[in-house]
C-alpha cells in the first residue's frame, strides 16, 4: 500500500462534471489499495475573478490580510464539493481548510512560507480508511490569520503535505500531459519530457514555466520526493521530476522558457566606486522588491551604468526608489522599460558542451532579435529581449536546440 498525494489544478475542477471525474479518479486510486490525500485548487478562473474584485474595491494594492481572506475562498468551495462527490461514490472523505489541517505559515500575506503541518491529524483520517481532501494555496499564521502562498501555490501545498506525511509520491494533475520542452500552448513542436531533474525543473519554473510553482520543486528536491506531472484527462504517464541520477537522458537543452513578467531599470552614470551598488539595491530590498538580473557596464570615464530587472508589478515603485537614490550615487539618469521579456534555455547537458551560448546568440541574431542583457549559470542561459519578439525567439530557439536534434543526449 502506498501513500499518494494527488493535486488537481483549476481546469481539473472547473465545474461539477470535472469534479465528478476527479472524484472517480481519486476513488480508483483508493480502491487500488492506496491511502490518498487530494489537494485541490479553486475552479478555473475563480482566483483571477477574486483578485479582480479585490482590486476593484481595495485599489491596486488591496490590504493584504483581507486579500488573503478573500482569495482563499476559491479552494474552500472545491474541497467541500470534491468531498461530497467522493462520498457520493460510497467512500469516506473529509475536507480540510488550511487552518483545519494546521498548515502553519509565517505572516507574509500573499506570499506566505510554510512552517509546519499537523500531519498527525491527516494520518488519523487516512488510518480510518478515509480520503483527506485538502485546500491548496492557503495556510494560517501563528495569530490565526488566513494566509496564501502566492499564485500557483497549490502545487506547494501538495508537495509540502506529501513530504510531511512521508508520501511515496506526489501526482500533479493538470491540463497538459507533462512538462514539455517549451510551453505547449506557444510552441507546436514542444514535446513531453519523460524525466526531468529537480535542478532543471527549478530553473524552468523560475524562468517562466508555470506548470509547477518554484517552491514546490524546492521542497520536493530537499526531501527527494518524486513528483509525477500528468494530465487529468488521460491515463498516460506524464513527466517524473526526480534526482539527477534517475534522469535517463542528459539533454543539452531540455527546455526553452519565457517570462514576460519583468521590467528593466537602468541607472546611468553612477560613480564607479565601492558601495554604490549597495546604495541602489539596499532600499529596493528594504521595500521587499526582489531584483532578478543585474548587469554593470565597464567604466571608461569613472562612471558606470547599472541595469537590473524587477517583477513588473513592482516596476513603478522600483523606478521611484531608483530615482530617489540618484543624488547619492551621482547618477545622471534613470530609465525604465516595461516591454521586455526574458527568454532562457535550460539543460543539464550544457555543462558538458561548449558553444551553446554562442549558438543561442547566433539563432537570435539570425532572427534580427537584439539582446539587451545576458545571464548564465551552469545549466541555463537567459537573455532579455524586446517583448514583441518573445514568441519568435522561443520558437526559433526551440527549433534550433530541440527540433533540429541538438538536444541529443550527451555521451556519459
Ligand atoms: P494548473 O491550473 O493545473 O495548476 P497551470 O496553468 O498552473 O495549471 O500550469 C499548466 C500550464 O503551464 C499549461 O497549460 C501550460 O500552458 C503552462 N506551461 C508553461 N510552460 C510549460 C512547460 N514547459 N511544460 C508544460 N506546461 C507548461
Ligand atoms: N488558486 C490559486 C491560483 O490560481 C492557487 C493554484 O491554483 O495553485 O493561483
Ligand atoms: Mg498551477
Amino acid at each position: 500500500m502506498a501513500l499518494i498525494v494527488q493535486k488537481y489544478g483549476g481546469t481539473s475542477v472547473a465545474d461539477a462534471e470535472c469534479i465528478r471525474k476527479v472524484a472517480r479518479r481519486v476513488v480508483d486510486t483508493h480502491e487500488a489499495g492506496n491511502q490518498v490525500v487530494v489537494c485541490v485548487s479553486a475552479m478555473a478562473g475563480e482566483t483571477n475573478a477574486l483578485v479582480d474584485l479585490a482590486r476593484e474595491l481595495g485599489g491596486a494594492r488591496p490590504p493584504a490580510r483581507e486579500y488573503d481572506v478573500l482569495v482563499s475562498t476559491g479552494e474552500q468551495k472545491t474541497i467541500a464539493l470534491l468531498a461530497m462527490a467522493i462520498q457520493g461514490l460510497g467512500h469516506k472523505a473529509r475536507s480540510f481548510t488550511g487552518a483545519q489541517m494546521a498548515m502553519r505559515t509565517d505572516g507574509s500575506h500573499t506570499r506566505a512560507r510554510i512552517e509546519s503541518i499537523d500531519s498527525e491529524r491527516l494520518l488519523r483520517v487516512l488510518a480510518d480508511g478515509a480520503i483527506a481532501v485538502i485546500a491548496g494555496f492557503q495556510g494560517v499564521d501563528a495569530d490565526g490569520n488566513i494566509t496564501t502562498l502566492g499564485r500557483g501555490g497549490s502545487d506547494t501545498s501538495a508537495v509540502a503535505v506529501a513530504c510531511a506525511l512521508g508520501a511515496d509520491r506526489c501526482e500533479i494533475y493538470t491540463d497538459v500531459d507533462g512538462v514539455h520542452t517549451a510551453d505547449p500552448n506557444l510552441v507546436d513542436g514542444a514535446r513531453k519530457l519523460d524525466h526531468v531533474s529537480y535542478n532543471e525543473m527549478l530553473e524552468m519554473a523560475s524562468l517562466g514555466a508555470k506548470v509547477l510553482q518554484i517552491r514546490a520543486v524546492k521542497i520536493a528536491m530537499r526531501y527527494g520526493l518524486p513528483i509525477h506531472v500528468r494530465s487529468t484527462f488521460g491515463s498516460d504517464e506524464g513527466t517524473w521530476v526526480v534526482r539527477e541520477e534517475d534522469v535517463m537522458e542528459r539533454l543539452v537543452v531540455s527546455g526553452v522558457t519565457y517570462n514576460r513578467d519583468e521590467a528593466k531599470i537602468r541607472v546611468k552614470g553612477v560613480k564607479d566606486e565601492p558601495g554604490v551598488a549597495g546604495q541602489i539595491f539596499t532600499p529596493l530590498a528594504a521595500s521587499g522588491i526582489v531584483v532578478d538580473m543585474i548587469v554593470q557596464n565597464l567604466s571608461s570615464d569613472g562612471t558606470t551604468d547599472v541595469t537590473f530587472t524587477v517583477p513588473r508589478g513592482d516596476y513603478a515603485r522600483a523606478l521611484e526608489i531608483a530615482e530617489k537614490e540618484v543624488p547619492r550615487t551621482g547618477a545622471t539618469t534613470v530609465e525604465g522599460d516595461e516591454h521586455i521579456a526574458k527568454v532562457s534555455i535550460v539543460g543539464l547537458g550544457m555543462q558538458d558542451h561548449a558553444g551553446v551560448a554562442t549558438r543561442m546568440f547566433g539563432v537570435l541574431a539570425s532572427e534580427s532579435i537584439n539582446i539587451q542583457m545576458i545571464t548564465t549559470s551552469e545549466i541555463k542561459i537567459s537573455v532579455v529581449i524586446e517583448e514583441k519578439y518573445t514568441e519568435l525567439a522561443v520558437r526559433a530557439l526551440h527549433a534550433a536546440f530541440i527540433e533540429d536534434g541538438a538536444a541529443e543526449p550527451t555521451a556519459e
Side-chain angles (χ1 to χ4, degrees):
M1 180 170 63
L3 197 171
I4 301 170
V5 176
Q6 298 188 330
K7 178 255 167 177
Y8 292 88
T11 42
S12 314
V13 291
D15 54 31
E17 196 42 45
C18 290
I19 294 178
R20 235 179 245 124
K21 285 190 186 140
V22 166
R24 183 75 257 166
R25 212 170 175 134
V26 170
V27 162
D28 286 347
T29 312
H30 195 239
E31 283 178 348
N34 302 297
Q35 291 186 316
V36 190
V37 175
V38 200
C39 175
V40 279
S41 292
M43 291 171 164
E46 172 101 7
T47 312
N48 285 346
L50 292 167
V51 170
D52 289 347
L53 271 174
R55 293 207 176 119
E56 211 176 312
L57 291 166
R61 294 168 64 78
R65 182 184 180 280
E66 306 316 325
Y67 173 97
D68 277 352
V69 171
L70 178 70
V71 299
S72 61
T73 57
E75 275 73 10
Q76 185 160 341
K77 270 162 77 173
T78 45
I79 51 169
L81 292 169
L82 181 58
M84 286 177 198
I86 295 172
Q87 288 171 20
L89 294 172
H91 281 245
K92 284 201 237 173
R94 191 121 189 229
S95 67
F96 291 90
T97 63
Q100 286 171 325
M101 68 174 139
M103 168 77 79
R104 270 282 303 279
T105 69
D106 64 14
S108 338
H109 285 291
T110 78
R111 51 174 173 211
R113 304 188 81 83
I114 298 171
E115 289 174 343
S116 62
I117 296 164
D118 183 359
S119 41
E120 293 304 314
R121 180 143 189 214
L122 293 176
L123 287 170
R124 273 200 304 274
V125 171
L126 299 181
D128 186 38
I131 293 163
V133 183
I134 64 170
F137 184 48
Q138 56 176 266
V140 61
D141 74 7
D143 296 324
N145 298 301
I146 295 175
T147 54
T148 61
L149 311 181
R151 297 304 306 271
S154 299
D155 297 333
T156 302
S157 311
V159 167
V161 165
C163 292
L165 297 179
D168 296 274
R169 61 178 182 273
C170 182
E171 299 178 338
I172 303 280
Y173 287 89
T174 186
D175 58 355
V176 285
D177 59 0
V179 179
H180 286 240
T181 47
D183 184 346
N185 289 320
L186 190 84
V187 180
D188 286 340
R191 70 170 174 86
K192 187 186 80 188
L193 294 160
D194 293 333
H195 292 88
V196 67
S197 71
Y198 293 119
N199 273 322
E200 282 171 306
M201 193 63 236
L202 208 52
E203 290 286 11
M204 284 170 72
S206 0
L207 297 170
K210 63 169 187 150
V211 59
L212 280 179
Q213 206 197 30
I214 307 166
R215 272 155 53 205
V217 187
K218 278 192 187 160
I219 298 172
M221 179 157 110
R222 192 177 331 130
Y223 285 83
L225 172 83
I227 301 182
H228 188 187
V229 181
R230 56 196 308 199
S231 168
T232 310
F233 311 106
S235 53
D236 289 349
E237 281 277 295
T239 303
W240 284 92
V241 187
V242 289
R243 275 192 289 258
E244 206 166 300
E245 50 272 32
D246 299 325
V247 176
M248 309 298 167
E249 319 168 275
R250 199 172 153 93
L251 302 175
V252 177
V253 172
S254 32
V256 181
T257 62
Y258 64 96
N259 180 359
R260 293 185 173 115
D261 206 29
E262 292 190 18
K264 186 180 76 169
I265 294 176
R266 184 169 176 202
V267 188
K268 290 170 83 172
V270 299
K271 287 181 279 187
D272 189 17
E273 57 184 46
V276 173
Q279 275 165 8
I280 297 172
F281 295 115
T282 308
L284 289 168
S287 307
I289 297 177
V290 180
V291 173
D292 178 24
M293 294 167 95
I294 303 177
V295 170
Q296 181 171 8
N297 293 357
L298 270 183
S299 143
S300 52
D301 58 355
T303 71
T304 155
D305 292 355
V306 178
T307 310
F308 56 92
T309 62
V310 293
R312 215 174 270 189
D314 293 332
Y315 173 66
R317 272 196 313 140
L319 201 58
E320 220 171 87
I321 293 170
E323 273 162 359
K324 228 187 258 161
E325 293 307 310
V326 162
R328 286 213 292 158
T329 57
T332 48
T333 34
V334 176
E335 286 172 358
D337 185 357
E338 274 189 279
H339 304 288
I340 58 154
K342 182 166 72 172
V343 173
S344 315
I345 56 175
V346 177
L348 277 180
M350 265 185 218
Q351 295 170 95
D352 322 314
H353 270 244
V356 180
T358 321
R359 176 133 189 252
M360 179 183 191
F361 305 152
V363 169
L364 296 172
S366 67
E367 299 291 345
S368 306
I369 300 172
N370 187 39
I371 299 172
Q372 302 178 5
M373 296 170 86
I374 303 168
T375 54
T376 63
S377 80
E378 277 196 323
I379 64 164
K380 72 118 202 273
I381 306 167
S382 298
V383 296
V384 166
I385 60 169
E386 237 186 291
E387 185 179 8
K388 67 180 181 194
Y389 296 123
T390 313
E391 293 177 12
L392 179 63
V394 171
R395 290 192 181 126
L397 292 169
H398 192 269
F401 283 102
I402 292 169
E403 290 157 56
D404 294 351
E408 289 306 309
T410 57
E412 284 296 317

